[in-house]
Amino acid sequence: MSSQPSQPAQSSQPSHPEPPSPAPSLTEVEAHGVDRIPDAERSATPLDLFRLAFGGANTFSTCVLGAFPILFGLSFWQGLAATLLGVVAGALILCPMAVFGPVNGTNNAVSSSAHLGVHGRVVGSFLSLLTAVAFFSISVWSSGDALVGGAHRLFGLTRGTLSYVVAYALFAGLVLAVCVYGFRFMLFVNKIAVPSASVLFLLGAIAFAGDFDPSYAGVFTASADAATQSLFWPSFIGAALIVLSNPVSFGAFLGDWSRYIPAGAPRRKVIGAAFLSQIATLLPFVFGLATASIIATKVPEYVDPAAPDFVGGLLAISPGWYFLPVCLLALIGGMATGTTALYGTGLDFSSVFPRLSRVQATLLVGALSIAFIFVGRFGLDLVQSISTFATMIITCTTPWMVVMMLGYWTRRGWYDPDALQVFNRRQRGGRYWFAHGWNWRGMTAWWVAALIGVLFTNIPGQFVGPLGDLAGGVDISLPLSLVVAAALFLALLRLFPEPRAVYGPQGARLVRTVEVPVPPITGPGASGDDASLSDPSARLRA
């Protein structure tokens, strides 16, 4: 066994990239699925990544998440501390996930083949589906409610079930249309949405400045009884986790957008763009937090834990001139969130189900999400559904991200983009075939850490895992799953080395490797040249 190569490895990037081709028209439906984006078509920049990631969160639905600290009973300053903790921690966890797109020219679920196996990449697809359904639903719920509420105040529209159904359906249809056209049209929407939504939030600061009181005390005051006081830390951590779920939710999607960035773009700029895009979301988060504290003071019935209604409360405290900006904010911001959530999942499921084109897969996932929206809105508790679902997403997604990032680090950022596409081409074999298409090292680290996270989850009044009370009611699921995923994955790589062929010219970092034959790529479109994979040293010399 050896951790250093005896032969130079082939580069994962072409030595002579093609010159960029003219960008396609905005109204031209994107043809690419999750196949590697040709170098000539990769003309996006880290700034474009910033626009898409920030635009997808600089929205009304993020304001709703920002209101949760107040709904959990925290004061404004306690809520601000929970928000800062959630945003910064989430941004630090998320930002390294941006590098896979430029390196491999494909989305993050496909890139995960390198660490979970050709078949194990479906884990990323499943996680992206859950995330897309959750955040597409949040955007349609919040934006639809704001549009109906604003129309009621402006034009006297009846706030009945039919009004909400029509608003949800129309809004969801607009989002689906943008996703069908693809990346360029989505980028165009976000170029408009980011500055527009920011201006509307700043107008909101003017609208509510007179009513805002940072001394809002919440329920955890000195006069609160012991039972209430005992819920402070569970509520604080729970609020921080709800906030953290927003940046973490982008983990499965960053590659959808960064794959259009040239492979030669500086990694620090790509990572920096992803990090700053989440720090910038403090604008909508603090807007939601501040307005929720005003609602709790002036119209507390709208933050009643039994039936909270942030959107209704916001409209109740808004001056008349701000009704129209609220409607515009709901429309523009909701479009940005909905498209960034839905686009990537439709893209990925077109590869999981090969009979579906990218457009068909997008429409299918959109239809399922719309069904979930109506069930959640009219049949379930909205706030509990959002908070529970969001916590479950980060509990399952974060260990997957840890495996990806540690895998990138141990392999020194080297990948074979062609071998990543084996699953999509319905082939077998290649560097990332491992054991029948599964890399049990990465898979084991993921599911064990995710399971432990679920067992230790503690969302007061909603979901408490079997071991959730062991930390005095504090939810320690996230830090525990992070540590378990990292420690277990590195231990498995040391104890059960991966094939030398999956590492680049500089060899492995920290872990060992083993020289074993790699099965040739066989199946549709495979060439005879792939037989050289059975001799890894021959392929490395190529």
Side-chain angles (χ1 to χ4, degrees):
M1 296 182 185
S2 170
S3 62
Q4 295 300 326
S6 58
Q7 301 291 342
Q10 79 175 46
S11 170
S12 63
Q13 304 300 336
S15 57
H16 300 290
E18 305 170 45
S21 59
S25 167
L26 288 177
T27 55
E28 179 182 337
V29 176
E30 182 181 5
H32 290 295
V34 292
D35 50 305
R36 185 177 185 275
I37 302 299
D39 293 317
E41 298 181 31
R42 296 169 69 173
S43 57
T45 66
L47 179 59
D48 291 328
L49 176 62
F50 173 88
R51 286 194 184 104
L52 284 167
F54 177 46
N58 189 36
T59 64
F60 203 74
S61 56
T62 305
C63 295
V64 174
L65 295 179
F68 270 80
I70 301 299
L71 298 180
F72 281 14
L74 300 180
S75 70
F76 172 78
W77 291 111
Q78 292 164 350
L80 182 61
T83 299
L84 288 170
L85 175 63
V87 168
V88 174
L92 289 171
I93 294 171
L94 171 73
C95 62
M97 295 297 293
V99 301
F100 293 96
V103 169
N104 297 322
T106 188
N107 72 347
N108 284 355
V110 173
S111 292
S112 72
S113 301
H115 307 295
L116 281 79
V118 167
H119 293 151
R121 57 140 290 185
V122 299
V123 170
S125 302
F126 173 72
L127 294 173
S128 70
L129 175 63
L130 290 181
T131 304
V133 170
F135 284 85
F136 179 62
S137 300
I138 292 172
S139 69
V140 173
W141 271 326
S142 57
S143 297
D145 283 3
L147 289 173
V148 171
H152 171 73
R153 296 289 297 270
L154 286 171
F155 311 113
L157 177 71
T158 303
R159 298 177 65 178
T161 300
L162 179 61
S163 298
Y164 287 107
V165 168
V166 171
Y168 297 155
L170 288 175
F171 189 79
L174 286 173
V175 172
L176 274 172
V178 174
C179 292
V180 165
Y181 277 108
F183 175 80
R184 298 293 172 185
F185 199 93
M186 187 172 65
L187 181 58
F188 171 74
V189 168
N190 277 271
K191 285 181 178 179
I192 297 174
V194 168
S196 300
S198 299
V199 168
L200 293 171
F201 280 129
L202 293 176
L203 282 176
I206 297 173
F208 300 115
D211 294 323
F212 174 60
D213 181 4
S215 65
Y216 171 74
V219 302
F220 302 107
T221 60
S223 60
D225 58 45
T228 300
Q229 293 284 8
S230 67
L231 292 175
F232 171 73
W233 283 112
S235 299
F236 181 88
I237 299 298
L241 289 176
I242 293 295
V243 172
L244 186 144
S245 70
N246 197 64
V248 168
S249 71
F250 286 93
F253 299 129
L254 280 186
D256 301 334
W257 317 317
S258 64
R259 67 195 183 125
Y260 279 93
I261 297 175
R267 299 286 180 267
R268 57 183 176 78
K269 290 187 177 181
V270 175
I271 292 174
F275 178 79
L276 292 175
S277 71
Q278 299 309 306
I279 297 302
T281 63
L282 285 170
L283 175 63
F285 268 119
V286 174
F287 180 88
L289 178 69
T291 52
S293 68
I294 299 172
I295 294 170
T297 301
K298 298 187 66 174
V299 282
E301 62 271 19
Y302 285 98
V303 292
D304 182 354
D309 181 7
F310 171 76
V311 174
L314 182 66
L315 291 169
I317 64 171
S318 294
W321 65 267
Y322 195 62
F323 291 159
L324 181 59
V326 166
C327 292
L328 290 174
L329 184 59
L331 180 63
I332 295 172
M335 286 284 289
T337 294
T339 53
T340 52
L342 196 59
Y343 167 78
T345 301
L347 177 76
D348 196 51
F349 265 70
S350 65
S351 67
V352 176
F353 301 101
R355 293 185 179 182
L356 299 176
S357 66
R358 184 192 66 82
V359 172
Q360 292 171 329
T362 299
L363 292 174
L364 174 62
V365 175
L368 293 174
S369 301
I370 291 170
F372 179 80
I373 289 166
F374 285 115
V375 171
R377 175 61 174 83
F378 299 110
L380 300 174
D381 185 305
L382 177 59
V383 171
Q384 287 197 7
S385 299
I386 291 175
S387 59
T388 301
F389 210 39
T391 303
M392 291 298 101
I393 285 172
I394 63 173
T395 300
C396 294
T397 301
T398 307
W400 176 80
M401 294 166 64
V402 169
V403 169
M404 290 278 287
M405 289 183 282
L406 284 177
Y408 180 93
W409 183 72
T410 58
R411 297 188 189 176
R412 303 180 189 271
W414 188 93
Y415 295 88
D416 181 349
D418 186 63
L420 292 173
Q421 297 291 334
V422 165
F423 181 94
N424 310 326
R425 297 168 181 165
R426 294 302 176 262
Q427 298 169 335
R428 299 170 64 86
R431 296 179 192 275
Y432 306 128
W433 187 249
F434 298 105
H436 305 288
W438 302 90
N439 186 350
W440 61 268
R441 305 162 189 82
M443 289 292 297
T444 300
W446 169 71
W447 75 258
V448 169
L451 177 61
I452 289 176
V454 171
L455 292 176
F456 279 87
T457 295
N458 190 316
I459 311 174
Q462 297 174 43
F463 177 80
V464 179
L467 305 178
D469 289 324
L470 291 185
V474 176
D475 191 324
I476 60 171
S477 58
L478 180 64
L480 194 58
S481 62
L482 282 169
V483 172
V484 169
L488 183 56
F489 185 50
L490 289 176
L492 290 173
L493 290 179
R494 290 283 298 177
L495 294 173
F496 305 96
E498 291 178 320
R500 169 63 186 85
V502 303
Y503 292 90
Q506 298 181 34
R509 178 186 279 126
L510 187 63
V511 299
R512 299 182 299 160
T513 65
V514 61
E515 294 287 354
V516 296
V518 176
I521 296 177
T522 59
S527 66
D529 294 339
D530 292 320
S532 63
L533 277 173
S534 60
D535 178 3
S537 62
R539 180 65 182 259
L540 289 173
R541 288 194 296 268

